Amino acid sequence: MIRLGVNIDHVATLRNARGDAYPDPVDAAKLAIQWGADGITAHLREDRRHIRDADMPRLKALTAPLNFEMAATAEMVRIACLLRPHACCLVPEKRAEVTTEGGLDVAGHKEILAPKIARLRDAGIRVSLFIDPDTKQIETAAELGAPVVELHTGAYAHGKGGELERLHHAAGTVADCGLELHAGHGLTYDNVPPIAKLPGLAELNIGHFLISEAVFSGLGPAVRKMKYLINCP
Ligand code: PXP
């Protein structure tokens, strides 16, 4: 079974748009879990544009594992070590970007990342690195001692030619390096089936489409349908 992590950031985007307390991302997370989500993902951004600090312990208290998406900054490492979520996914973060536009350049930032990964691992947190499907990035992730990589599927989702082949090749490299394979970004009902067939895939993290679809079908049915699509033969 491929696990489905539901990213609830954009429930918080909607909440913050009006400055009220609703919709509560924690209520959305509870619903997603009831309808089959295997985990909840939340990105505490430096600018707190969606998820806020006070959301994190409430998400951690739920029954499904929490995947804390974060930039590799001293502030976020400190927050994560206090919170001790099940997992931390290190992502690149630029204030001006609309979303996480590309993978983390782990090969170019080894010295900065090594002590942060070690600190998170010492706190008992499973560390995952959000990277592009690139051999050098995957091999560096293994060298840095991260047990998991999440491959960025954004270019594939935007229809860039050759990306599915690139992801397949990368999945082989991930297996050769002995790492656990996750993937995510820009996935929808239509484009997820080929990604769910990547050899060795353990987990998908999906957010924006599911929250958008919730407007039409409700979040529970959207999660259930996605869970079915990623696991159907
Ligand atoms: N995985 C990671 C590491 C991400 O940064 C994001 C986007 O925040 C996602 C998965 C989910 O992407 P989307 O919201 O496009 O489904």
Side-chain angles (χ1 to χ4, degrees):
M1 283 278 278
I2 295 166
R3 296 191 301 268
L4 174 62
V6 174
N7 181 319
I8 42 74
D9 291 348
H10 296 300
V11 178
T13 303
L14 198 55
R15 171 192 64 187
N16 298 357
R18 290 287 290 265
D20 282 312
Y22 68 88
D24 183 354
V26 181
D27 286 343
K30 285 182 193 159
L31 195 65
I33 295 165
Q34 275 166 25
W35 285 75
D38 300 291
I40 296 299
T41 296
H43 185 176
L44 184 67
R45 278 186 171 265
E46 190 193 3
D47 61 8
R48 309 309 198 259
R49 73 169 74 147
H50 36 58
I51 295 296
R52 295 178 180 148
D53 298 67
D55 298 324
M56 295 306 288
R58 296 175 63 231
L59 291 167
K60 156 91 193 298
L62 300 179
T63 52
L66 174 63
N67 178 27
F68 178 176
E69 249 188 58
M70 53 183 256
T73 61
E75 182 201 19
M76 288 300 153
V77 171
R78 185 178 47 75
I79 293 172
C81 288
L82 286 172
L83 184 71
R84 292 178 186 253
H86 170 73
C88 278
C89 181
L90 301 184
V91 303
E93 201 176 298
K94 294 186 222 117
R95 267 188 189 244
E97 71 191 355
V98 175
T99 180
T100 313
E101 282 161 6
L104 188 62
D105 176 15
V106 295
H109 297 93
K110 274 204 272 193
E111 288 71 25
I112 297 170
L113 290 169
K116 297 195 161 73
I117 293 169
R119 221 179 127 202
L120 293 167
R121 289 194 66 172
D122 289 348
I125 301 166
R126 185 191 75 180
V127 178
S128 137
L129 303 178
F130 190 44
I131 56 174
D132 289 328
D134 175 89
T135 302
K136 191 165 167 215
Q137 299 294 346
I138 297 163
E139 288 174 350
T140 309
E143 213 182 294
L144 286 168
V148 180
V149 290
E150 178 167 333
L151 298 181
H152 197 302
T153 53
Y156 158 80
H158 288 118
K160 193 169 167 217
E163 282 300 311
L164 191 57
E165 294 71 20
R166 201 173 161 219
L167 284 158
H168 267 273
H169 185 262
T173 310
V174 172
D176 292 344
C177 291
L179 304 179
E180 185 171 310
L181 175 63
H182 298 183
H185 203 90
L187 298 176
T188 66
Y189 294 154
D190 289 340
N191 66 21
V192 82
I195 295 298
K197 299 275 178 297
L198 287 176
L201 183 71
E203 181 175 308
L204 287 173
N205 284 298
I206 306 181
H208 187 256
F209 175 79
L210 288 174
I211 304 308
S212 307
E213 195 58 20
V215 173
F216 304 105
S217 68
L219 182 59
V223 168
R224 185 176 60 184
K225 182 166 173 182
M226 189 60 87
K227 189 87 191 280
Y228 169 77
L229 286 173
I230 68 178
N231 283 298
C232 65

